Amino acid sequence: MLRGMPEVGHQKRVEELLEGLNEPQREAVTHGEGPLLILAGAGSGKTRVLTHRVAFLIYTGQAKPGEILAITFTNKAAGEMRGRVERLLETDTHGMWLMTFHAACARILRAKGDLLGYTSRFTIYDQSDTRRLVKRCMGELGVDPKRFAPSAVHSQISQAKNRLLDADAYAADADPGFGEMVSEVYRLYERELSNMNAMDFDDLLFRTVNLFELHEDVRTRYAGTFKHVLVDEYQDTNHTQYRLLQLLVGGGRREPMRGERVDIPGHRNLAVVGDDSQSIYGFRSADIRNILDFQKDFPDARVVKLEQNYRSTQTILDAANAVIANNRGGIAKHLWSELGRGGPIHARGCEDEHGEARFVVGEIERLTDEGASRAEIAVLYRTNTISRVIEDALVRTKTPYQVIGGTKFYEKAEIKDAIAYLTWLSNPFDVVSFQRIANVPRRGLGQTSLSRIVAHSASVGAPVWEVAAAAERVPGLGAAAIKSLGRFMSTMQELAALVAEGVPVGDLLEAMLSRTGYVEALEAEAIGGGEKSFEAQGRIESLQQLVEVAHEFDASAPSEEDTLDRFLQEIALKSDSDTRRDDEGLVTLMTLHNAKGLEYPIVFIAGCEHGVFPHQRAIDEGGLEEERRLFYVGVTRAMRELYLTYARRRSVFGQPTFALPSEFIEEVPSELMDRDEPSRPRLGGIAPAGRPRVGAGSWEAPANGARTRRERTTVAAQFRLGEDVVHTAFGEGVVTGVEPGGIIVVRFAGDGSERKLMADYAPIGRR
Ligand code: ATP
Ligand code: MG
């Protein structure tokens, strides 16, 4: 008889709840009080056990909804768990703490952060705010950001926080040089955050631990409230999270870190589930010992192992097991599936990333034609940069898709800016576009000046374009603003003249990007190094893609009239259909890290190349095993069909780079795969400068005859060291450097200046 069952009606429900579970799963779900560890391989129902256990605890009266804290790793996983619990309980999950560590901590700090000196309205800085602040602190301390990348300094600070080291504790162990510099930045950074009533992501956890350690009454209140604590993906918890759990449930590690209390009393109702083979956050200080040592921390813990996989075909499981066997150590697991062998894994090599994208999208079309729903399909990749070309192919074939944890192409700031420029050229009344672009890139036009222009245009009833073009008539506008508006508007009028001449949209867009200084501003950032420059580089690449979209539009445009308007309309509809969800659902794109815990009938893993996946940095820094675990995570997301694709050649920062297939593909036993690749890679197509020639004769050549971005890039970027060039504004010069991202350095004869230019956009040619 089940303990504590409140009503007879419930008994049937509880039985139903337990029916869909195998024996060990049932044991875990019905486990009473005390520590519980569920350690098992992918797809064995760990998350299912956790959700059922939450429902079970409530049904049987062992806990009220508000007395359960169930932690997941991502917001998406939290959402899924909420859905599952709601379906099981047939009520909403209001009052339940079903969320990520960060969300739970933010909630606690909103309520109690005043005890640490924060108001309840504290700001949470995201990754880019955080980086900017670190950079500013480095600047204030006179640290050269060219010598030390702000991203590296921030990563040190973040790791310190994940190990519960504040600035003083960090300084105590810091080595002279880099470590000392970091501890100074750390100290200033903390002061700045606190002055601004702000926290970064790591602080959410760190401050909650501080709160519980400094205020025993608060700790005991929360520890008493949460009668049961459950944690999914426990293999990826870091030390701070570990400590937080200890403070909530009591017990824990016998060998404390410096200064930690060990004798924490508590109910020890902690249920954790995880898989050491899926530990993929070591680079962010996750500590795999947390799961491996759980039995040491809690010698009386009940341990449940699950061996039946309910997700994947045996072929997919065999592949996953074979690959992970190449890692040393790890807890052996014997996963088996009743779902049958299934079809082979499709491994496909393509000539380049565009070929890969066409293959992926072609297969998606074929599968959906055959009756698969788009919602059943996921495309996974190691880094966000891989998704762009695939997104582009999806947009072109009008395949609805969503990107988890990233921004979609037409929602990116730089794309919206570029479109806003064109829109304002087409519609001089468009105040929203004007306000978006007038000071982007920065022209010293503040919000007040812009508001005055807009207000004046409303009061005289003239288009905002006209008012901006006669800025001296706008009341209250300063001399500096008038001057910079004058410059801005004369550029815009030049562009408007191009529109009147009916120049193709692609050319107009290129002229706009170079004459307004938009790309130049990004180039300046791109050269700086570090995360920021990486971002700027990505923006430049997106804009290049938009230029390509425009050229293709021109190539297919039937008439010369109103091309700009028709182009804008097409784009508007594209972005609109992007966000529409129809019955057949959306194809999902995301990084492998974001895919943790999820499952899809059909999975593509794109960019399976040495240097991309495994990632070059991981290879350099000895992180191959973690990359392999990530591959294992990717493979085990698939239920029925798995595709592993790679490109022989891929543009990295605008440079075509040759690659070998990932070693992980080679580790999949060949009898499980149906493998196909271009038998003879067309290495004959390499231009003398080391760049591939594109198009002519290659089976990847675009069918519509439009110039592709690669052709354009290749044509434009074929400048070589020492070559004589001429620039429309700076005159004659010579190429003194060629840098990644299509950037060339040119020394100009006229004024002796050396300038970095974007070969694709700068008005420059050979002499
Ligand atoms: P991962 O390691 O990837 O997080 P997991 O161990 O958490 O996987 P779940 O996501 O809980 O696995 O389960 C995998 C799939 O198997 C889900 O679709 C789940 O509903 C199904 N499943 C689990 N247990 C059973 C069962 N006893 N009967 C039927 N289906 C099950
Ligand atoms: Mg899971």
Side-chain angles (χ1 to χ4, degrees):
M1 188 66 205
L2 295 163
R3 202 169 68 80
M5 204 135 32
E7 291 165 37
V8 185
H10 271 120
Q11 180 151 9
K12 198 164 164 297
R13 284 195 161 188
V14 171
E15 277 166 15
E16 280 168 11
L17 184 68
L18 298 180
E19 252 168 35
L21 299 172
N22 64 30
E23 196 41 49
Q25 288 178 331
R26 205 169 296 155
E27 183 190 337
V29 167
T30 58
H31 166 79
E33 306 221 312
L36 169 68
L37 166 66
I38 301 152
L39 183 62
S44 57
K46 297 183 298 296
T47 303
R48 185 179 173 102
V49 164
L50 217 63
T51 24
H52 278 64
R53 181 166 166 78
V54 169
F56 181 83
L57 290 171
I58 295 170
Y59 275 171
T60 54
Q62 296 181 63
K64 296 195 191 73
E67 294 173 342
I68 291 177
L69 173 64
I71 298 287
T72 60
F73 211 74
T74 60
N75 288 321
K76 182 158 170 66
E80 297 235 326
M81 186 181 279
R82 195 169 294 123
R84 288 195 197 184
V85 172
E86 277 175 7
R87 272 196 305 281
L88 283 172
L89 286 177
E90 291 170 28
T91 66
D92 66 25
T93 46
H94 194 73
M96 246 188 256
W97 288 61
L98 246 175
M99 53 187 82
T100 63
F101 270 115
H102 288 99
C105 289
R107 208 195 243 192
I108 293 170
L109 290 168
R110 294 261 180 238
K112 292 284 164 201
D114 57 329
L115 294 171
L116 298 176
Y118 297 92
T119 79
S120 63
R121 295 237 184 97
F122 65 85
T123 309
I124 301 170
Y125 279 170
D126 70 10
Q127 205 69 356
S128 59
D129 298 333
T130 303
R131 289 272 155 86
R132 223 171 293 133
L133 182 58
V134 168
K135 194 167 173 192
R136 206 174 81 202
C137 293
M138 288 171 66
E140 263 174 54
L141 294 169
V143 180
D144 181 0
K146 288 210 183 66
R147 256 192 87 203
F148 301 108
S151 57
V153 175
H154 173 241
S155 142
Q156 286 287 314
I157 296 175
S158 171
Q159 283 179 29
K161 290 186 178 186
N162 288 334
R163 298 197 331 263
L164 289 175
L165 299 174
D166 62 16
D168 287 339
Y170 182 88
D173 281 341
D175 53 355
F178 185 66
E180 250 171 39
M181 180 272 293
V182 171
S183 51
E184 267 184 60
V185 176
Y186 189 3
R187 206 165 270 135
L188 178 60
Y189 171 76
E190 288 301 278
R191 205 160 55 226
E192 295 277 319
L193 278 177
S194 133
N195 288 344
M196 293 186 285
N197 191 34
M199 297 190 201
D200 62 22
F201 281 145
D202 303 314
D203 281 336
L204 293 173
L205 302 164
F206 195 0
R207 300 295 160 237
T208 308
V209 169
N210 292 156
L211 178 70
F212 288 169
E213 285 185 332
L214 293 169
H215 298 275
E216 181 64 10
D217 55 326
V218 178
R219 185 190 79 77
T220 47
R221 212 201 93 196
Y222 280 98
T225 300
F226 300 128
K227 296 211 161 52
H228 283 271
V229 177
L230 303 92
V231 185
D232 200 1
E233 309 277 3
Y234 188 66
Q235 75 278 357
D236 279 319
T237 49
N238 61 35
H239 180 71
T240 304
Q241 290 161 338
Y242 176 85
R243 181 71 184 159
L244 187 67
L245 292 172
Q246 227 178 13
L247 290 162
L248 284 173
V249 306
R253 196 156 290 167
R254 277 148 187 224
E255 297 151 28
M257 302 259 290
R258 179 185 35 215
E260 280 174 2
R261 251 178 78 188
V262 272
D263 56 335
I264 299 165
H267 51 61
R268 302 163 81 250
N269 292 333
L270 174 64
V272 306
V273 313
D275 176 2
D276 56 306
S277 300
Q278 296 188 63
S279 146
I280 54 175
Y281 279 98
F283 74 101
R284 269 204 223 149
S285 319
D287 190 348
I288 198 167
R289 279 179 311 170
N290 289 345
I291 194 157
L292 297 180
D293 288 352
F294 192 83
Q295 284 170 272
K296 274 197 220 149
D297 295 344
F298 299 99
D300 57 333
R302 181 191 296 225
V303 181
V304 175
K305 294 204 165 149
L306 308 174
E307 301 196 325
Q308 179 168 1
N309 171 295
Y310 291 90
R311 178 182 294 152
S312 314
T313 63
Q314 192 64 46
T315 299
I316 290 169
L317 278 188
D318 287 349
N321 289 338
V323 172
I324 204 70
N326 290 290
N327 274 4
R328 288 162 295 148
I331 296 169
K333 286 165 224 103
H334 309 280
L335 279 184
W336 55 277
S337 162
E338 274 179 356
L339 300 174
R341 290 227 64 82
I345 292 161
H346 316 282
R348 170 58 98 104
C350 304
E351 282 211 352
D352 62 15
E353 69 266 41
H354 299 278
E356 182 186 46
R358 275 198 297 277
F359 172 73
V360 170
V361 174
E363 283 300 287
I364 291 176
E365 285 188 325
R366 190 180 63 74
L367 290 159
T368 49
D369 282 349
E370 285 172 7
S373 140
R374 282 189 288 271
E376 293 177 340
I377 305 175
V379 182
L380 313 178
Y381 34 81
R382 176 66 180 84
T383 56
N384 276 312
T385 47
I386 301 288
S387 79
R388 285 195 199 104
V389 179
I390 296 173
E391 278 192 64
D392 216 33
L394 289 166
V395 168
R396 263 186 236 143
T397 52
K398 301 193 166 56
T399 310
Y401 71 97
Q402 58 178 337
V403 182
I404 307 284
T407 317
K408 293 176 71 175
F409 185 70
Y410 289 104
E411 285 160 16
K412 292 179 184 185
E414 65 276 17
I415 300 299
K416 288 187 140 181
D417 288 347
I419 300 294
Y421 267 104
L422 297 185
T423 308
W424 199 41
L425 280 168
S426 146
N427 173 15
F429 288 92
D430 185 355
V431 170
V432 173
S433 292
F434 166 72
Q435 283 181 312
R436 181 172 185 105
I437 59 169
N439 199 35
V440 180
R442 288 215 183 106
R443 302 188 173 95
L445 290 170
Q447 210 42 56
T448 325
S449 305
L450 298 185
S451 308
R452 292 216 161 105
I453 294 164
V454 172
H456 189 62
S457 127
S459 74
V460 299
V464 64
W465 177 291
E466 252 173 47
V467 173
E472 64 288 348
R473 290 191 220 134
V474 177
L477 219 53
I482 292 176
K483 201 164 155 212
S484 80
L485 257 173
R487 270 199 304 269
F488 171 52
M489 287 311 293
S490 81
T491 308
M492 292 308 288
Q493 265 145 356
E494 278 170 42
L495 294 170
L498 293 180
V499 176
E501 282 169 32
V503 303
V505 184
D507 295 353
L508 174 70
L509 182 58
E510 284 187 285
M512 184 283 281
L513 289 171
S514 88
R515 293 193 200 173
T516 57
Y518 195 97
V519 166
E520 206 179 328
L522 287 176
E523 282 166 21
E525 269 182 49
I527 293 161
E531 183 81 5
K532 238 12 240 163
S533 84
F534 186 75
E535 247 178 65
Q537 187 57 50
R539 290 179 195 276
I540 292 171
E541 281 177 24
S542 303
L543 289 169
Q544 284 172 337
Q545 266 188 33
L546 185 67
V547 168
E548 188 188 331
V549 169
H551 281 301
E552 273 170 19
F553 171 83
D554 292 328
S556 64
S559 83
E560 298 290 306
E561 279 170 34
D562 303 333
T563 46
L564 178 58
D565 292 341
R566 280 188 297 109
F567 177 72
L568 289 171
Q569 185 183 324
E570 189 167 292
I571 295 278
L573 292 177
K574 247 186 210 173
S575 18
D576 186 41
S577 70
D578 268 1
T579 48
R580 197 172 56 217
R581 286 161 188 269
D582 62 16
D583 291 337
E584 282 187 71
L586 306 164
V587 173
T588 302
L589 272 62
M590 67 186 131
T591 63
L592 286 142
H593 280 96
N594 275 323
K596 200 163 73 147
L598 306 179
E599 61 189 15
Y600 292 87
I602 301 159
V603 169
F604 292 83
I605 304 180
C608 292
E609 293 133 42
H610 180 82
V612 174
F613 189 25
H615 198 275
Q616 190 59 45
R617 202 176 48 226
I619 299 170
D620 296 342
E621 294 171 5
L624 192 64
E625 297 212 339
E626 182 152 310
E627 294 285 301
R628 190 177 279 113
R629 291 193 292 267
L630 189 58
F631 188 78
Y632 173 85
V633 168
V635 168
T636 54
R637 298 311 93 200
M639 298 162 81
R640 267 197 334 258
E641 302 283 347
L642 174 64
Y643 289 82
L644 307 172
T645 64
Y646 55 95
R648 289 268 177 205
R649 189 174 65 223
R650 182 181 297 279
S651 291
V652 179
F653 295 121
Q655 298 276 22
T657 309
F658 288 90
L660 294 170
S662 170
E663 44 266 63
F664 302 148
I665 292 195
E666 312 298 345
E667 289 170 9
V668 175
S670 57
E671 65 271 18
L672 302 177
M673 275 192 296
D674 124 33
R675 188 161 176 179
D676 192 6
E677 55 193 314
S679 48
R680 264 178 303 135
R682 291 183 171 265
L683 295 177
I686 313 284
R691 293 167 182 283
R693 238 188 298 126
V694 178
S698 153
W699 60 277
E700 302 284 9
N704 60 7
R707 286 193 299 168
T708 67
R709 172 160 67 96
R710 272 179 303 127
E711 275 178 286
R712 304 181 52 74
T713 308
T714 315
V715 170
Q718 250 176 8
F719 293 105
R720 263 173 257 146
L721 269 182
E723 196 156 28
D724 292 326
V725 290
V726 59
H727 186 284
T728 49
F730 306 126
E732 297 188 345
V734 61
V735 178
T736 56
V738 178
E739 297 183 1
I743 291 166
I744 54 172
V745 189
V746 178
R747 180 180 301 284
F748 288 100
D751 58 358
S753 66
E754 199 166 62
R755 292 168 191 270
K756 293 203 176 191
L757 303 164
M758 201 62 202
D760 258 10
Y761 292 104
I764 194 163
R766 257 180 225 101
R767 266 193 281 157

